[in-house]
Amino acid sequence: MEAAPLRATPRPTPSVTGTLRAIEAVLLRSGQRTARRNAWTSVLEDRRRAKDRYDAEYVLEAAATRRPHAT
């Protein structure tokens, strides 16, 4: 059994766009990681603010419906 002959095929020349995309991918990896971390931090901060608003609303509602203390 004979092996098929290897043919040398020319490697396609990288386009300028492809080269720029490859460079961009390498440079932005850490940037994407930072962006995701910042986005998650924002989500947690929004949740904290929402809880604070809820708690404040609860206290204000309780104070508004409380009867004045008769002496």
Side-chain angles (χ1 to χ4, degrees), residues 9-66:
T9 56
R11 187 174 169 184
T13 310
S15 66
V16 174
T17 304
T19 303
L20 289 175
R21 283 188 181 160
I23 292 170
E24 181 183 46
V26 170
L27 293 176
L28 291 183
R29 278 188 193 138
S30 64
Q32 287 177 342
R33 206 173 14 242
T34 301
R36 284 190 191 111
R37 195 177 324 119
N38 289 344
W40 183 244
T41 301
S42 294
V43 167
L44 295 177
E45 185 66 19
D46 287 346
R47 288 178 182 175
R48 187 193 61 77
R49 277 195 223 110
K51 183 182 179 309
D52 289 347
R53 275 194 309 272
Y54 175 82
D55 292 345
E57 184 179 343
Y58 178 81
V59 169
L60 290 173
E61 186 68 28
T65 58
R66 187 174 165 201

